[in-house]
Each structure stands twice: as C-alpha cells, then as structure tokens.
Amino acid sequence: MKGEVVLATAAIYVLALGFLGYSFFKDKEKTKKAIKIAGKSMVRLLPGMLMVVGLVGLILGLISPETIGHYLGAESGPSGTFLAAIFGALTLIPSMLSFPLAASLLEAGASITTVAAFITTLVMVGFVTAPMEIRELGKEFTILRNGLAFIFAIIIALIMGVIL
Amino acid sequence: MKKGNLMIMLLLVLAYLFLLLFQRETGMQALTAAGGYLKEMILVIPGITLLMGLFEVWIPKESTQKYLGEGSGLKGFFLAFLFGTAPTGPLYIAFPIARQLLAKGARVANVVVFLGAWAALKIPQILMEAKFLGMSFTLTRFSLTLLAVLAIGYLMERILKYRKVTF
C-alpha cells in the first residue's frame, strides 16, 4: 500500500484509540454508547462504500492513466481542457499517481489550463463518490457541491492558463 | 437497502461479469482496482466510525454550534479549513463526518469549506503536487481553490437555505 495511506490510517487509529482509552477511563457508560454508535454508523456506511468501490474499479479499469495520457497529451485546445475536466471529475486517482501523470501530460505538450482543469476537478469533483455523498448529505447538497466545484475548477484552470 | 441502490449494485455486478467474460483484461484491471480500494476502506472505516461515535457522545451540540455554527465568523471558517487540511485519508470518509457536523449545528458554508479543504487542500497532497508540478503551479492552484471553496460554501448555504433544505 502507498505510504501516504498508511500514514493517514495510522494517524486515525492513534487518535481513535487514544481518545477511546481516555473516554473509557472517564466514563464507561458513555464509551459503551460511543462504540454502539460507531457500530451503527459502520452498518449505515457499508452499502454506499461498496457502491463507491464498485464504481471506482470499473472506471479505473475502463479509463486507465494511460488512456488519459493518450487523449490529453498533445491536445491543448478548449476541447482538450473540457475533456480534462471531465476525466478529472470521473476518475478517482490517488494523488501519488495523479501528480506524476499531470507532470507527464505537461511534458507531452498539454497546456497549463488543461492540466490545471484535470487536477482541480480530480480533487474537487467526485462522480464515483457521489452515491456515498448522496446517502450522507442528500441529493441537493451533492449536486450543488459537485456542480459548483466543476464550474469553479474550469474558472481556476482558465485563470491559471492566463497567469502562468 | 433502498430499491435504487439495489438496482445500482445489480448493474455494477452485471458490468463486472460482462467485462470478465468478454473483456477479460479490462475486467481484471477493474477488479484489482476495486480490491485495492476495498482494502483501504475496510482498514479506515472502523477508526473513523469510532471517532465519530466518541465525538457524538463527548462533544455537546452547543460547542459545535459555537465554533462552527452561525456567528462563528472567520474563526469558524478557519477551524473548518484546518480541520480539513489535516492528513486524514480519502474524501469519502469525510462525508459521514460532514453529516455529523451538520447534525450538530455547524453551518453549511463551514462544512463545505471543510470538505473542500479535505478534498483539494491537504498538506501532504500539496507537497506531492509541488514536487511534480512546481511551486508556482501549486501555490496558484492552492490560493485559487481556497477562494473557490469559500465561494462555493457561501453559495451553497444561500441556495440550500432558500430551498429550505435541512440537515
């Protein structure tokens, strides 16, 4: 597994277990309640998680980093930028892979605007995580957040193309 | 499980079966990717839900309201931003946390800032980005994204309030 993920996971468990120990020491009843709530949330999160995992796998299988590089490499017109934004929104690539990919796109002749559009929608817009976002925060929240993030990502990309 | 979700799951299973039968290589690629993410999720979720459970019983609604709710002002925004930039894993685990914050009385704008920072402004991610795409690219994107996240937060708060969506 990637070092980044291991580190984040370790941090979460150090925090959670430390907090749990403290909680148990302070109030056993409350701690029991907290564990019960944790169990319930886990059950609630499971279906959404499975859906996200299924979608992520499919999309990564169908749209590999090589495919993205192939389509965006030399392309630098407005349609390339738009395509980059769509690719970014659709895929969920860990940053360990996405930044080297973005760097290789630049080398292959893609414009700053295109690369910025790709990176920004990649991190801000989540098509594959939408089922989980909808379950947790509702349809309106999800559509608004992702829609606005997509629009702003394109604005950010255009500004970056002008000033860099 | 809701009917719609069941349908999606069924479609997903069918898609995988189809790929594995007719496009073996793509299917295997998809399955491997899904397996990797599943492992990551299974590893992270118990820790996160435990933290959520502890948060639920120990942090009173009043303090969330005070520090992240209406009237928390610039401090609330700053706290939400800090909370989001901490190195804490993939975006999908931020959704249940966001839901809990909303339920505990945090304002929508701050929750969106929290999600935005988590997604796009995380410190370890920024370091990676600077290494591969250079400092000026990274800093420009960081500043513009920060402004965008703020704008999205306020816009969403306005729109959701207008449409009377409650959490």
Side-chain angles (χ1 to χ4, degrees), chain B residues 58-128:
Chain B
W58 283 107
I59 312 286
K61 195 169 177 173
E62 294 75 46
S63 30
T64 325
Q65 250 161 3
K66 185 176 156 212
Y67 292 110
L68 291 169
E70 309 280 345
S72 60
L74 219 57
K75 255 191 229 158
F77 148 72
F78 199 67
L79 192 67
F81 171 75
L82 269 188
F83 206 22
T85 51
T88 30
L91 181 64
Y92 49 75
I93 58 175
F95 297 140
I97 300 174
R99 171 199 177 120
Q100 195 180 26
L101 287 174
L102 284 169
K104 283 245 180 196
R107 61 186 287 192
V108 171
N110 282 340
V111 171
V112 174
V113 167
F114 161 74
L115 282 175
W118 186 305
L121 306 168
K122 262 195 309 211
I123 305 298
Q125 189 180 303
I126 298 299
L127 297 176
M128 280 288 292

Side-chain angles (χ1 to χ4, degrees), chain A residues 54-79:
Chain A
L55 273 173
V56 168
L58 264 191
I59 286 183
L60 278 185
L62 293 172
I63 315 175
S64 63
E66 294 81 52
T67 321
I68 296 174
H70 177 74
Y71 280 105
L72 302 181
E75 176 67 75
S76 52
S79 63

